[in-house]
Amino acid sequence: MRSVRGWSSRRTREERGWLRGAPPPRWVRVLPVLLLVVVTAATTATPHAHDLGFLLGAIPPLAVLSYGPLATAALGGLVIVALNLPFTHLDRPGNTDLLTIAFVAVLSVFVAFVRSRRDAQLDTERAISDAVQRAVMPPLPERVGPVGCAGFYRAAQDGTLVGGDFFDVRDGPHGVRAVLGDVQGHGLSAVTTVVSLLGAFREAALDQPDLESVAARMDRRLGVDSAGVRHAELFATAVLLEFSGDARTVRVVGCGHPPPVLLHEGRALELAVPPCPPLGIGLVGMDRPKEVTVTLGPRDRLLLASDGVWEARDAADTFYPLPERLAALAATASGELPDAVWADLHRMRYAVRDDATMLVLTPTPPVP
């Protein structure tokens, strides 16, 4: 299954390359060596090509783009050697020209050294960011009790792996409970709120007897976090689910978040979840969210998505029709469905301007 068991195990080749520092295109790596070979071969074949010798001065700077200091020094040394070999017809350059190329080669080695140190520091910072995200949202297993899980996470802020979306699935004494939410803001500034909400959910999922109480606990957590902070305006939207022990029904509570989409017999239907204010504005405790119970078929699936998916827009400023597109993708396996939706967004040229998160839950009732 290609999709995540949580956010981090879904790593495309592009994402894995970004984490390590994506290498330059192959033609950039080949260019310095190719230029050295072509110029040397041409000047060796005929003395009339000696005017091409100036191209050798570009080799050390080009090497900096692709190689470390040792390889850059080696290529710079080969350039100096080529300029002093009689059969290349380049062994009589002016002293100024030779010193200039030697200086450029030494300078290129220094730049390559600085770049390699910087890249090592960036790799360390990316590894720390990866570890933070794993600590905030550990990878989901393929199954939690009778429920199959597949998720997708893509932060909106360039250069970060963390954002304002979150999800989790937990098994407990009251059944399998799941949450997907979106806190105010995105990027690193939202991580503290995400940590608080996930901690509150994980504790309440074990202790509270119903989903309304779990939502109230999360709401109180945000209220406590923002108390005493002037103009905090700390809030989050969330949708919570609880599966029965036989996975034949699911209870849903929505707190200002788009409802789950049910895939049933090739159709995609938005669940009619009673509206409730977002978490953190102090109204959930006074007006408890209304729970809705949905009966599930043997092959039904539920997809939860954040605003980044629901509110993606095309060139005509039209929202992405998630239920309609899910119906067209209904034949896709559950584990591949988040990837398929993401690919569909790009294929249809919808711009995603917020954190994009999806969670597919596949309940599997026990065989009688």
Side-chain angles (χ1 to χ4, degrees):
M1 296 170 66
R2 289 176 49 209
S3 290
V4 293
R5 319 294 185 244
W7 77 279
S8 59
S9 55
R10 180 202 175 274
R11 283 288 163 76
T12 62
R13 293 178 182 176
E14 175 186 355
E15 288 172 308
R16 289 193 297 266
W18 182 86
L19 283 172
R20 294 191 301 265
R26 181 169 297 182
W27 67 269
V28 175
R29 296 179 61 83
V30 172
L31 186 58
V33 178
L34 181 63
L35 191 59
L36 178 62
V37 171
V38 169
V39 171
T40 302
T43 55
T44 300
T46 171
H48 301 294
H50 70 276
D51 289 338
L52 296 177
F54 77 95
L55 294 175
L56 295 178
I59 291 176
L62 287 174
V64 172
L65 299 176
S66 306
Y67 299 101
L70 291 179
T72 301
L75 286 168
L78 289 175
V79 169
I80 301 299
V81 170
L83 289 172
N84 287 278
L85 292 176
F87 61 82
T88 64
H89 309 292
L90 297 171
D91 59 331
R92 295 185 182 85
N95 290 333
T96 301
D97 293 340
L98 186 59
L99 288 174
T100 299
I101 292 177
F103 175 76
V104 169
V106 172
L107 184 61
S108 297
V109 172
F110 174 74
V111 173
F113 173 76
V114 172
R115 184 182 64 82
S116 65
R117 295 290 298 272
R118 183 203 62 189
D119 288 349
Q121 182 179 2
L122 288 176
D123 287 343
T124 300
E125 292 174 355
R126 289 164 181 158
I128 293 172
S129 181
D130 192 8
V132 169
Q133 182 67 74
R134 287 178 178 271
V136 173
M137 289 197 303
L140 290 175
E142 292 187 26
R143 301 192 65 79
V144 177
V147 180
C149 308
F152 179 101
Y153 192 102
R154 181 67 65 92
Q157 185 173 330
D158 292 337
T160 65
L161 294 174
V162 292
D165 288 357
F166 62 93
F167 59 79
D168 200 5
V169 184
R170 296 279 161 162
D171 197 0
H174 306 287
V176 174
R177 288 174 169 174
V179 63
L180 185 143
D182 182 2
V183 309
Q184 176 196 24
H186 52 76
L188 297 176
S189 62
V191 174
T192 301
T193 308
V194 168
V195 171
S196 292
L197 282 174
L198 282 174
F201 167 76
R202 289 161 182 167
E203 181 180 353
L206 296 175
D207 298 337
Q208 299 302 315
D210 51 59
L211 281 183
E212 294 95 332
S213 300
V214 176
R217 178 73 68 85
M218 297 172 70
D219 177 72
R220 188 181 69 177
R221 179 72 264 169
L222 284 186
V224 171
D225 289 347
S226 60
V229 180
R230 188 177 182 183
H231 306 305
E233 298 180 355
L234 191 60
F235 66 89
T237 63
V239 58
L240 297 95
L241 292 83
E242 177 183 292
F243 292 89
S244 60
D246 59 7
R248 289 190 170 90
T249 61
V250 62
R251 288 173 285 278
V252 185
V253 166
C255 298
H257 198 85
V261 180
L262 174 66
L263 276 169
H264 174 73
E265 297 181 351
R267 296 179 298 163
L269 309 169
E270 288 186 49
L271 297 184
V273 180
C276 177
L279 304 171
I281 61 176
L283 296 179
V284 173
M286 294 184 292
D287 183 16
R288 290 172 65 86
K290 307 299 188 296
E291 182 182 272
V292 62
T293 301
V294 178
T295 302
L296 300 171
R299 289 179 293 277
D300 286 354
R301 294 173 286 174
L302 291 161
L303 183 135
L304 291 69
S306 66
D307 291 344
V309 177
W310 283 97
E311 297 179 0
R313 297 172 185 260
D314 61 10
D317 208 33
T318 303
F319 288 124
Y320 180 67
L322 180 58
E324 175 186 326
R325 297 308 304 158
L326 274 179
L329 300 170
T332 307
S334 297
E336 299 175 358
L337 191 56
D339 289 315
V341 173
W342 183 252
D344 189 62
L345 276 164
H346 286 277
R347 183 170 58 252
M348 298 183 68
R349 300 185 182 279
Y350 280 82
V352 179
R353 299 184 177 91
D354 200 352
D355 299 332
T357 306
M358 288 174 276
L359 179 63
V360 175
L361 301 173
T362 309
T364 306
V367 178

